Amino acid sequence: MKIISNPSSNPVAADERNKKVLEPGFGKYYTDNMVIAQWNENTGWADAKLEAYGPLTLDPATMVFHYGQEVFEGMKAYVQPDGGVSLFRPEANAKRFAKSAARIALPEMPVDFFVQTIEALVKADKEWVPKKIGESLYLRPFMIATEVGLGVRPSNHATYVLIATPAAAYFNADKAVTVWISTEYVRAALGGTGEAKCGGNYAASLLAQKQAAKEGCDQVAYIDAVERKWVEEMGGMNLYFIKGSGKDAKIMTPKLTGTLLPGITRDSILTLANDLGFKTEETMISIDDWRDGVKSGEITEIFACGTAAVVSAVGAAKSIHGTWQTGDGKPGPITNQIRAGLLGIQHGSTPDKHGWNKRVI
Ligand code: PLP
Ligand code: COI
């Protein structure tokens, strides 16, 4: 498959773009171009087009509006010390995108084609990549069901779109996020779509997120749907719990039971933490373990991780069972070390031992 390039003839003026890139926020501004590709059951994927960023015009009876058949990914392009740009593990996002699509009966996009579209957009919109460490160009590929009709069945037409937005950290790195542990709403059950990055999972999480905000919390942590006690993940991030301190610390994360999104940051941190000399464990962690662990001091730090969030300390946790705090409520030393280690690899200032970076420019 090829990418037919017809970039915007009216890009944002350089001084205006530079202002936006200096204070990017998250999802506030979009780059000059996007990539779009069509699939149908008979012909498969057609060549992709790189063209000016702009609205999509869709028939009101387009299936995605009615039955929510949509998947997406989130990945970042990072400036390198020599001014070049690298992607972080793009093939991992490509594979997860295909897996998510398959789960909701959308077509799988070949890994190479997916990565090719990402590279093409980063090259076309390279001036939009922020230069500060911890900032990046966030890429948002997504796929929607675009057959027109109201019958409830898999769409035989799909549209892939890739957009990009300059991004600062999702959370302030100096501050710990507070979480609401939802005992009322669950995010996913076994056999459902928890492992897939589909829009429906996020729609289902918004009411709990609203409740969290009402409780004065930044994010929601979900527990399992059956026993209602095992900590799973947050609405858009995986979780890590640290026991002990210094070189004897053990870094633990909830096991992938089939209901959690297998985060690429989560996976990278398992390797990175080992490289830094820490013990790691994928295990089951209950709300009682969380509460008792932070109260006794056995759990010294907790952090959330994800592409958008990078690594963000988790301070207070609140639920109907009470409120408890991790350590002194501030980001701890191991959380900071892991955050710096990951950003160092992503921005090319520490050796990339595992071949995670893919140089684009
Ligand atoms: N869990 C959920 C529900 C997410 O939306 C995300 C974000 O993509 C993650 C975890 C972290 O995944 P990753 O590290 O691949 O960004
Ligand atoms: C990401 O980290 O890429 C996500 O999709 C999570 C979302 C909260 C922005």
Side-chain angles (χ1 to χ4, degrees):
M1 259 97 53
K2 287 201 308 286
I3 298 173
I4 299 157
S5 190
N6 181 24
S8 171
S9 54
N10 187 24
V12 174
D15 53 345
E16 192 188 333
R17 183 196 62 228
N18 291 341
K19 253 194 256 161
K20 291 177 170 172
V21 172
L22 275 175
E23 293 291 335
F26 185 85
K28 234 161 86 180
Y29 309 116
Y30 294 88
T31 63
D32 295 310
N33 297 290
M34 64 183 195
V35 176
I36 186 157
Q38 308 290 343
W39 172 92
N40 80 55
E41 210 173 28
N42 303 320
T43 55
W45 287 104
D47 289 341
K49 295 191 178 86
L50 185 143
E51 59 190 38
Y53 181 95
L56 304 174
T57 303
L58 293 170
D59 189 293
T62 300
M63 281 183 169
V64 66
F65 296 138
H66 304 276
Y67 310 122
Q69 224 187 332
E70 188 263 0
V71 290
F72 69 97
E73 266 304 325
M75 55 202 294
K76 286 175 168 174
Y78 301 86
V79 73
Q80 302 298 293
D82 63 359
V85 177
S86 284
L87 293 165
F88 185 70
R89 305 185 68 184
E91 288 85 6
N93 291 92
K95 286 180 192 151
R96 189 172 65 187
F97 191 59
K99 225 175 139 199
S100 298
R103 174 61 186 84
I104 63 159
L106 277 170
E108 292 179 40
M109 180 176 246
V111 167
D112 290 352
F113 188 32
F114 176 95
V115 175
Q116 215 186 322
T117 65
I118 306 281
E119 291 193 36
L121 188 61
V122 172
K123 280 183 186 153
D125 287 335
K126 61 178 190 296
E127 302 301 338
W128 288 88
V129 180
K131 305 278 183 289
K132 288 183 221 151
I133 302 298
E135 299 191 350
S136 55
L137 184 67
Y138 182 82
L139 284 311
R140 171 52 64 86
F142 63 99
M143 196 198 304
I144 52 177
T146 39
E147 186 184 341
V148 173
L150 297 182
V152 184
R153 57 175 175 72
S155 175
N156 61 29
H157 189 191
T159 301
Y160 166 83
V161 189
L162 168 64
I163 56 174
T165 173
Y170 199 71
F171 298 117
N172 178 350
D174 305 328
K175 213 185 130 251
V177 295
T178 53
V179 302
W180 171 249
I181 303 175
S182 179
T183 44
E184 189 176 355
Y185 301 109
V186 293
R187 181 184 169 276
L190 207 58
T193 57
E195 275 188 329
K197 206 161 164 57
C198 58
N201 288 344
Y202 297 79
S205 75
L206 297 177
L207 188 56
Q209 178 63 38
K210 207 167 154 181
Q211 202 174 42
K214 216 167 110 199
E215 296 290 342
C217 297
D218 302 306
Q219 285 289 312
V220 182
Y222 291 94
I223 52 177
D224 78 288
V226 180
E227 293 182 68
R228 299 289 187 107
K229 67 180 216 184
W230 302 109
V231 179
E232 301 214 310
E233 61 176 321
M234 311 243 269
M237 287 141 244
N238 292 111
L239 280 165
Y240 267 91
F241 295 79
I242 302 175
K243 276 191 178 167
S245 57
K247 281 290 170 218
D248 295 327
K250 183 153 85 175
I251 302 190
M252 306 180 319
T253 189
K255 210 167 151 169
L256 298 177
T257 51
T259 53
L260 285 74
L261 190 83
I264 294 157
T265 318
R266 173 191 180 281
D267 183 71
S268 309
I269 289 172
L270 280 173
T271 302
L272 175 66
N274 277 320
D275 290 349
L276 294 172
F278 298 113
K279 292 185 275 300
T280 56
E281 192 182 4
E282 294 176 87
T283 186
M284 305 291 280
I285 297 155
S286 68
I287 344 182
D288 290 348
D289 296 335
W290 184 339
R291 184 197 52 227
D292 298 346
V294 294
K295 283 197 168 162
S296 72
E298 195 187 3
I299 294 177
T300 48
E301 299 179 40
I302 302 175
F303 65 82
C305 66
T307 299
V310 193
V311 169
S312 300
V314 172
K318 192 172 175 189
S319 75
I320 53 163
H321 305 299
T323 301
W324 55 88
Q325 183 168 294
T326 326
D328 62 2
K330 297 204 187 81
I334 297 177
T335 301
N336 288 337
Q337 192 184 355
I338 289 185
R339 182 186 167 83
L342 187 65
L343 282 172
I345 298 171
Q346 290 167 332
H347 282 283
S349 59
T350 13
D352 174 24
K353 287 205 306 204
H354 304 284
W356 284 337
N357 287 342
K358 187 169 173 71
R359 190 74 185 227
V360 179
I361 295 166

